[in-house]
Amino acid sequence: MKSELAKLVSQIPNSEERKYFSQEMDGFYMLFTRYLDEKAKGKKLNWDKIQTPSEEQIIPYATIPETMAKTDLQKLAVLKLNGGLGTTMGCVGPKSAIEVRDGMTFLDLSVRQIEYLNKKNDVNVPFILMNSFNTDEDTKRIVQKYATHNVDIITFNQSRHPRIKKESMLPVPRSPSSPIEQWYPPGHGDLYESIFNSGLLEQLIAQGKEYLFVSNVDNLGATVDLNILHHMVETDSEFIMEVTDKTKADIKGGTLVDDDGHIRLLEIAQVPDEHVEDFKSVKKFKIFNTNNLWINLKAIKRVMEDEAMELEIIVNHKTTPAGEKVIQLETAVGAAIKHFKNAHGVNVPRTRFLPVKSTSDLFLVTSNLYSLTHGRLVINPDRMFSNVPLVKLGDHFKKVSDFLSRLKTIPHILELDHLTVTGDVFFGSNVELRGTVIIVANHGEHIDIPSGTILENKVVTGCLRILDH
């Protein structure tokens, strides 16, 4: 493997580009050798040592004092993880460019939030995007439209690692310019390596920034929270992970655990098969990681320079379009919690976790359940229940284009508990859904929900065609 990587590096003529590519390959090789070492030792998680976190390790958000102190904002930078594509929702290009509300994309909303934060508090919080090679070019073009906005936008790229052939354990690409599908971005755990190697970490520290708020670009609930920021400053904590109560929908999400007295992130991929049901249990592990993280920048520098940032390896098995079995070695950004002093979780309200992973999520965030204020989604005060409805839209709605064509307007759902829609279904305008509504068009059937319909605790099946005349 080492000689194959050296061959790749030697093919780059430009010395500056070669140096950067060499750093990426070094990072990959360290991950690879650690993977081989763990595999050889048959290293397995000692489940008996895994316990529910203590009260000191997870603090309820309600116990954090409210603050109006704005001075902490001067030392803050905000980073969005922007490496993903919109392919699962049938879109081309970066996921952050998908329109999610009132004609605005994830990026538009984030920029609007930071712009308002800066204007309101007379500060300059920079907005940083960590792109992958999949999203970098498009994102750089898109952010040009914010040039006149009151926000400094910085982009940098996470590493590019070669996929590994499962049979030979050698890299798939034969040259640095090999096709894009022979490489992969190694998960968001690569943030530390990339922000350090790019020089951006030094740049932020030189500007007087001390704290970094990190979140997924598709989490519309991840807004700057002064209370958490001030709590971090007051408790001298180097790392805070926002967690929230687990529901049946979140059983696969990573959770914070006590491992022999130390706090750490545990992902489902690391759990031995015989303990997966324990991991999913809402009784033992009541919370999960939202991936909203608050990290001390100087502490990142210390860990990167003085210690080894050894994040648990997540092995991702893939098959190429040509049928070749390959391996990707990835890490999670939250796994670094074990490396930082006074690190702990804060159990936040569910409103801080509003991810849009599917059109079912899009259905919720575009509905009258929320309104938009300065780029933030605010829950409608007329909603009587504290929980968000459970929405499951079938495969006919999977792509954003299909979703938009099947809904003349998004139904009113203030009183909805549960919605399941499967099959060839179309909604007219101003439909209202209440309680539990299940709409099933079986194969060969078609259902039109007429404009102005109110469905309350109803099951709709069979065939219903309504033609405009």
Side-chain angles (χ1 to χ4, degrees), residues 315-342:
V315 184
N316 201 341
H317 296 273
K318 300 265 184 184
T319 304
T320 66
E324 185 177 28
K325 294 202 177 324
V326 295
I327 294 170
Q328 297 180 181
L329 304 178
E330 301 172 12
T331 57
V333 64
I337 191 167
K338 63 183 181 181
H339 286 290
F340 293 91
K341 294 169 186 170
N342 294 336

Side-chain angles (χ1 to χ4, degrees), residues 6 24 31 37 58 69 85 98 117 131 139 163 176 182 192 215 217 223 249 316 329 376 406-407 466:
E24 286 184 324
L31 204 59
D37 190 44
I58 297 188
L85 293 168
I98 296 174
L117 182 80
N131 304 331
T139 301
R163 284 178 148 179
Q182 296 186 10
Y192 308 102
S215 62
V217 77
T223 56
N316 201 341
L329 304 178
R376 298 172 79 127
R406 290 177 175 274
L407 294 152
I466 295 191

Side-chain angles (χ1 to χ4, degrees), residues 421-444:
V421 182
T422 49
D424 187 12
V425 179
F426 282 81
F427 288 81
S429 55
N430 297 315
V431 171
E432 187 170 345
L433 306 172
R434 302 173 184 165
T436 296
V437 177
I438 297 168
I439 303 168
V440 180
N442 290 317
H443 184 66

